[in-house]
Amino acid sequence: VFNPITAVHLDIGGVIRVFRHTVQPYTDDFKEVGGGASINARFNVTAGTKLWPQGAFGSGLGRYVGGLVPDAAFRSDGSISTIGTTSWVGGVEQKVSDRVSLGGYYSGVNSDDNFYSDAGGNYIGFGFPGASNSNNRTIVEVTGTGSYQFVKSPDRGSGQLSLQVSWLSREPWSQGNGPASANAVMFFAQVRYNLP
């Protein structure tokens, strides 16, 4: 963690993961090491404006990006091969007044394919030609948020109305019988009570 001044925060982290399993007749043990790094930052550009860049990259990190990509695939001999993944979030948050704030974010994930042929010549793994269209290659999302604090009391908490709209685009490694990509526009509204 690095905080050179109050307006700047930076942290860098890493993870090492070890995958292992045993294949029947339980005489062959396989192990594969994966891992990656992340960097997160916050910049207070002005008293009411914050920038948030974040990113992570590595191999075998699928569970750390919301399970949108698997951690690993298997070769035909049962050995393990980790899947490369990159993810990011960039955002700006603006306090308009004591009760109103706005935000905008751009996020996504990219994955590598990782596949092999089995003894019968069929593809196995992740992202191979003809794979299920659930094998995500790229997901990108743009989100805008707004929040209004309609009640505010120092000893009784506050009431808040939040609205969010997002555009999401998803592209699988193989389209199968479906489309080559899919887009969605999503809306979210929330009324929340915040404890003091």
Side-chain angles (χ1 to χ4, degrees):
V1 177
F2 181 57
N3 295 294
I5 57 175
T6 306
V8 176
H9 171 85
L10 178 68
D11 66 73
I12 299 171
V15 62
I16 295 176
R17 303 193 67 201
V18 179
F19 301 87
R20 43 178 86 182
H21 76 110
T22 304
V23 178
Q24 283 185 329
Y26 307 109
T27 54
D28 295 324
D29 292 323
F30 295 100
K31 180 172 79 172
E32 181 73 16
V33 177
S38 66
I39 183 166
N40 306 289
R42 184 205 72 234
F43 303 100
N44 296 349
V45 180
T46 67
T49 307
K50 295 178 182 178
L51 296 178
W52 300 88
Q54 302 177 352
F57 62 92
S59 186
L61 300 180
R63 67 170 296 173
Y64 296 106
V65 293
L68 299 171
V69 178
D71 294 326
F74 295 96
R75 299 181 183 95
S76 58
D77 64 357
S79 61
I80 304 165
S81 178
T82 55
I83 298 173
T85 306
T86 304
S87 67
W88 66 90
V89 178
V92 60
E93 296 175 353
Q94 178 66 51
K95 186 174 182 180
V96 178
S97 70
D98 284 344
R99 294 181 181 259
V100 178
S101 61
L102 302 172
Y105 308 91
Y106 174 67
S107 60
V109 60
N110 285 330
S111 71
D112 294 339
D113 58 357
N114 191 326
F115 61 91
Y116 306 91
S117 295
D118 64 13
N122 299 308
Y123 287 123
I124 56 173
F126 177 78
F128 55 83
S132 165
N133 64 9
S134 66
N135 289 200
N136 295 318
R137 179 178 188 167
T138 302
I139 299 175
V140 174
E141 183 174 342
V142 177
T143 299
T145 66
S147 160
Y148 173 63
Q149 213 169 43
F150 54 85
V151 173
K152 187 176 181 182
S153 169
D155 58 348
R156 296 190 182 194
S158 64
Q160 180 177 321
L161 170 65
S162 298
L163 301 174
Q164 175 179 311
V165 61
S166 299
W167 171 81
L168 183 134
S169 178
R170 177 183 166 276
E171 181 183 336
W173 275 102
S174 177
Q175 70 184 77
N177 294 327
S181 65
N183 300 303
V185 176
M186 301 173 287
F187 297 93
F188 175 74
Q190 175 186 45
V191 177
R192 187 168 79 182
Y193 169 69
N194 303 305
L195 293 170

